[in-house]
Amino acid sequence: MATYVLVAGNWLGAWAWSKVTARLRAAGHDVHPVTLTGLGDRVHLASREVDLDTHIADVVNTIEYADLHEVILVGHSYGGFPVTGAAERMPDRLARLVYVESGPLPDGTSQLDMTGPEEREAILRRMKEREDGWLLQPPSPAELASGVPVYAGLDEAARASFTARAVPQPLNANAQPLRLADDGRRDGLPHTLVTCMFPVEQVRAMVAEGHPYFAGFAGKEWTYAELPTGHWPMLSEPERLAQALADLS
């Protein structure tokens, strides 16, 4: 039996892992899907003050208060940021770090930085124009059904579930840069990438080329799992994602 802590990306909560969680538990594993503050069933806690530090604390407290050890800690998309932050604080509690459509990004990087400077400024401009000014809206039903690669594999039921349960993301969680001590605390941990939109060979090429966003994939004990689908495999390919995670135990 292995112990998993699962952290989803923007707009999602523990609900997004339900089919993955059920399959892992049926196989005898201990599974703790996390709902970050301001999302999912904790949407009532959303505020301007919710930031990346808040979400790192959510992950740390899940592990500490459940007294978990030898944890396989899984971060999807934005979830990779709080997972990396939590891993630096408590590497002795972990058995492996897993990044699903994510990765250990450099110190000083934020989720907003991943969009590129022009899109980042466009997002911030749209936020200022909105009445609330601090919430990032989830994709609309039309966007989910548009057929662009990021939404690949989401059938009608998955899109309906996403639309019904996804909630706006607190902006400061995406805007606050991740700060790391860079003292090697995580270097002894096995790392795994589950890549969906990028073939493994393309990832290896980006590492070899020295792309700054792929620097964290070098110099550690990495394994790779390729799961061709869109950006939300827990919704589009839950059985295969569960199997990929179970194979790590």
Side-chain angles (χ1 to χ4, degrees), residues 28-111:
H29 301 295
D30 185 23
V31 190
H32 300 258
V34 178
T35 294
L36 299 173
T37 299
L39 301 171
D41 56 290
R42 305 181 71 202
V43 65
H44 58 290
L45 300 177
S47 73
R48 291 178 182 272
E49 285 68 43
V50 172
D51 58 14
L52 177 57
D53 285 339
T54 309
H55 289 168
I56 291 172
D58 288 333
V59 179
V60 168
N61 288 341
T62 295
I63 294 171
E64 287 188 343
Y65 280 86
D67 195 23
L68 305 179
H69 297 267
E70 293 297 306
V71 172
I72 298 175
L73 181 56
V74 182
H76 159 258
S77 191
Y78 161 77
F81 282 87
V83 157
T84 301
E88 184 169 81
R89 295 188 187 184
M90 51 193 333
D92 57 312
R93 294 287 192 108
L94 307 183
R96 180 181 294 272
L97 281 172
V98 182
Y99 293 93
V100 180
E101 285 288 281
S102 185
L105 293 165
D107 175 63
T109 304
S110 74
Q111 175 70 21

Side-chain angles (χ1 to χ4, degrees), residues 174-244:
N174 286 41
Q176 182 185 12
L178 178 65
R179 295 300 179 188
L180 301 171
D182 194 26
D183 58 2
R185 295 181 197 176
R186 294 171 286 118
D187 286 351
L189 289 171
H191 288 58
T192 295
L193 170 67
V194 179
T195 179
C196 301
M197 297 189 64
F198 294 93
V200 168
E201 289 310 311
Q202 186 174 353
V203 172
R204 295 186 191 276
M206 297 294 276
V207 173
E209 291 169 8
H211 192 289
Y213 287 164
F214 287 79
F217 293 100
K220 293 184 175 71
E221 183 187 344
W222 279 96
T223 58
Y224 297 90
E226 193 171 309
L227 179 55
T229 187
H231 189 60
W232 289 277
M234 67 281 285
L235 300 177
S236 60
E237 292 284 356
E239 185 171 353
R240 293 175 64 198
L241 178 57
Q243 187 60 57

